[in-house]
Amino acid sequence: MSLVHLILGGARSGKSRHALSICGRMRGPHKFIATAQAYDDEMTERIRQHREERANFWHTIEAPIELARAITSVNDGTVLVDCCTLWLSNVMLAELDIGREADALVESIARAKANVVLVSNEVGSGIVPENRLGRDFRDEQGRLNQRLAEISDTVELVVAGLPLRLKG
Amino acid sequence: MSLVHLILGGARSGKSRHALSICGRMRGPHKFIATAQAYDDEMTERIRQHREERANFWHTIEAPIELARAITSVNDGTVLVDCCTLWLSNVMLAELDIGREADALVESIARAKANVVLVSNEVGSGIVPENRLGRDFRDEQGRLNQRLAEISDTVELVVAGLPLRLKG
Amino acid sequence: MSLVHLILGGARSGKSRHALSICGRMRGPHKFIATAQAYDDEMTERIRQHREERANFWHTIEAPIELARAITSVNDGTVLVDCCTLWLSNVMLAELDIGREADALVESIARAKANVVLVSNEVGSGIVPENRLGRDFRDEQGRLNQRLAEISDTVELVVAGLPLRLKG
């Protein structure tokens, strides 16, 4: 039986580090699905930092957009997806059909043979963004997080590195 | 005896859906007070979506600004207010005295004969807004949420559709 | 033995008021370290409001930047630091080395002879800020909150005036 564990939190809340620690307690082999895409120097630097933070010996799959397919390709052990927010951002920038992509993602997770640990951002607790894209992104991320929470066995919110159990 | 139940959460956190489910477990008749005002196409669309999400058979009272009066007008059963954030935004745009309007709202809730379920946004957990209006709104919303929490029997924070009990 | 108590929350979440109440239950004498710096009328007004909110008889130390030194200077009782977010903002605006300043702050707290109650903002739960300074600030604040949480005996998140225990 495989488990789904969703880890939510704000920027630099310690989500990724907590996710690594959760994965470390689950069965191997461990795989890492990275969704980050380097489109400028700042992003390249952030990706580099994230790579350093995780154990180097993990097998990494790059899946900026084809996340559902990447999850389905893992047949055993535990897979860590970091993160669903960058994936959503990539899908929106590529002007794909968000509803269809989200359906495929949710289905791939629900049917996964591996344990799946998901990292996703909480982005809806500031004031209303000034531009339409920001508002749309906020809405889509909120909807996606609700769907992911619904199919997860365990959901935690990380604040300042400390996990708070929301489900399971 | 009537109860006051406050439901806080970020944008698209599942607050409204949770509020509907809470109301459904309280005594009828059920009334819905909508505070949204359509001033552009995007807002019209959002209002339409919200209407679809709630049960059509509920009696709806439109109260973009006269919220205290609308709450006082309900004599029994349970009333759902969705949401205090749009109301605050309408009051600020109409350049009314926020302190006085908030006093009237808090008093109408404290004295309500019906159960009152309130939906309100958490807006203070992003970085400092760049413009003065954004900062003022954030401050006023924070103050209002504290006052509403103080007079509520139960307070919950909704994250990704999952309620977290803060009081009661 | 001295205790470290960290109080996190969004803007106008009731953090400061809760911090005052926590301090009031700890041993005296009570000292207040203020980090706010008035660089415009809006800020002057905010500082004035905060001064009114706290009891006037507290001894106040102004430390917009030299926070570590101020904490070290307190030899007994309880010291309230309000807040770490304004301090971080002052350090960034002064273009000091954030890593080194944060190291000194964390060390001063860990070695404090007085009980230390810290107030700090949650700023990472909105959408990605549009400007680089906003993104950097958000990252630094997130990192700092994680470090402070790590050396704290108790950590609470305040939402609408209601504390939620995260640690201790």
Side-chain angles (χ1 to χ4, degrees), chain A:
Chain A
M1 214 201 87
S2 66
L3 294 169
V4 180
H5 191 124
L6 173 62
I7 295 165
L8 298 167
R12 287 283 161 193
S13 60
K15 297 182 304 292
S16 296
R17 202 198 298 185
H18 181 63
L20 285 170
S21 125
I22 292 290
C23 280
R25 298 199 290 266
M26 288 179 162
R27 66 169 185 253
H30 297 94
K31 286 191 174 122
F32 188 95
I33 302 181
T35 59
Q37 233 176 171
Y39 44 84
D40 62 16
D41 287 356
E42 188 184 341
M43 201 65 205
T44 308
E45 174 56 20
R46 279 173 191 252
I47 292 174
R48 199 194 53 71
Q49 282 179 18
H50 273 104
R51 280 209 183 116
E52 279 184 13
E53 282 168 19
R54 66 180 188 255
N56 285 320
F57 50 86
W58 282 36
H59 178 72
T60 296
I61 305 166
E62 309 274 348
I65 284 180
E66 304 265 345
L67 180 53
R69 187 180 302 188
I71 290 170
T72 305
S73 76
V74 181
N75 284 311
D76 58 350
T78 300
V79 62
L80 170 51
V81 177
D82 194 352
C83 67
C84 298
T85 300
L86 285 171
W87 169 80
L88 179 64
S89 168
N90 294 335
V91 165
M92 285 182 77
L93 288 173
E95 298 184 359
L96 297 174
D97 182 321
I98 299 167
R100 195 182 311 173
E101 297 295 324
D103 285 349
L105 174 60
V106 167
E107 201 181 309
S108 73
I109 296 165
R111 294 185 179 194
K113 295 191 195 85
N115 293 321
V116 182
V117 178
L118 301 160
V119 175
S120 192
N121 277 61
E122 166 58 28
V123 302
S125 298
I127 65 159
V128 179
E130 283 183 40
N131 64 71
R132 176 81 195 237
L133 184 65
R135 290 193 295 276
D136 286 349
F137 184 76
R138 191 168 83 140
D139 281 356
E140 294 298 346
Q141 178 71 83
R143 279 193 200 100
L144 180 63
N145 284 349
Q146 286 187 54
R147 293 187 68 182
L148 296 176
E150 209 167 1
I151 58 163
S152 292
D153 301 287
T154 308
V155 180
E156 289 175 303
L157 176 69
V158 178
V159 180
L162 303 168
L164 195 66
R165 187 65 60 108
L166 296 173
K167 178 180 177 182

Side-chain angles (χ1 to χ4, degrees), chain B residues 8-25:
Chain B
L8 298 167
R12 287 283 161 192
S13 60
K15 299 181 301 295
S16 296
R17 202 198 298 186
H18 181 63
L20 285 170
S21 127
I22 292 291
C23 280
R25 298 200 290 266

Side-chain angles (χ1 to χ4, degrees), chain C residues 28-84:
Chain C
H30 297 94
K31 287 191 174 121
F32 188 95
I33 302 182
T35 58
Q37 236 176 169
Y39 44 84
D40 63 16
D41 287 356
E42 187 183 343
M43 201 64 206
T44 307
E45 175 56 20
R46 278 172 192 253
I47 293 175
R48 199 193 53 72
Q49 282 179 18
H50 272 104
R51 280 209 183 116
E52 279 184 14
E53 282 170 18
R54 67 181 187 256
N56 285 320
F57 51 87
W58 282 37
H59 178 71
T60 296
I61 304 167
E62 309 274 348
I65 284 180
E66 304 266 346
L67 181 53
R69 187 180 301 187
I71 291 170
T72 305
S73 76
V74 181
N75 285 310
D76 58 352
T78 299
V79 62
L80 170 51
V81 177
D82 194 352
C83 68
C84 298

